[in-house]
Amino acid sequence: MKKLNIIRRGVGWEHSVTDKMDSCKNIDGCPQPEDFGTTEADVKDYAYDKQRVLDREEERKTNLVVPGIILVMPVIIMSGFGEGTELLLGGVLAGVILMLAYFAIMKALDKRKIAGMYDKDIENYIEALERFDAERKDA
């Protein structure tokens, strides 16, 4: 479950992680990537790759060209079979169903991509880094 919670963090997550890494690099007690069997470069690459997937999801929510085309195409196709309210409503219904299927499939692909890139060592390091940062801010 933890590996998919990252999806909810949204835009800027990569910068949050790299900023925390850079800001506490020389502070005593700050977790270091080497302590978790990874390197700073690997963590930054991992955060960058994960942020790209998160950005795709955000972009899909704002760029509605593809869903708009998917919504309209059944109406256009069904208009070739005649006229009538039933055909129009059927085309709109088919378009809505196809558009919802598009969003569901794309979200599933993004989750699968994030789950596939999951690296336990890096995730443990990021979690420790966030915990350290939160404790430092509370103190």
Side-chain angles (χ1 to χ4, degrees), residues 23-91:
S23 70
C24 81
K25 201 182 284 189
N26 298 320
I27 298 175
D28 289 338
C30 179
Q32 298 300 317
E34 293 77 20
D35 298 337
F36 292 84
T38 188
T39 66
E40 184 176 335
D42 287 342
V43 174
K44 288 183 177 184
D45 289 344
Y46 181 80
Y48 174 78
D49 291 340
K50 194 168 273 196
Q51 185 65 52
R52 284 184 37 210
V53 175
L54 296 172
D55 288 345
R56 280 195 321 227
E57 183 177 339
E58 292 297 319
E59 183 179 314
R60 238 183 271 108
K61 289 178 183 176
T62 58
N63 185 359
L64 299 175
V65 172
V66 173
I69 292 170
I70 291 172
L71 180 65
V72 172
M73 285 310 292
V75 175
I76 294 170
I77 292 170
M78 291 186 82
S79 70
F81 294 106
E83 293 182 20
T85 307
E86 295 84 16
L87 282 175
L88 176 65
L89 292 177

Side-chain angles (χ1 to χ4, degrees), residues 2 5-6 9 12-21 23-24 29-32 36 43 47 50 122-138:
K2 281 187 180 182
N5 285 342
I6 194 103
R9 294 181 187 169
W13 177 79
E14 172 198 6
H15 294 293
S16 170
V17 170
T18 56
D19 289 348
K20 287 175 187 171
M21 285 176 62
S23 70
C24 81
C30 179
Q32 298 300 317
F36 292 84
V43 174
K50 194 168 273 196
I122 294 175
E123 287 290 338
N124 288 338
Y125 167 69
I126 291 171
E127 188 176 313
L129 184 65
E130 289 176 347
R131 204 172 328 122
F132 176 80
D133 189 58
E135 290 171 1
R136 189 174 64 148
K137 287 180 181 176
D138 289 341

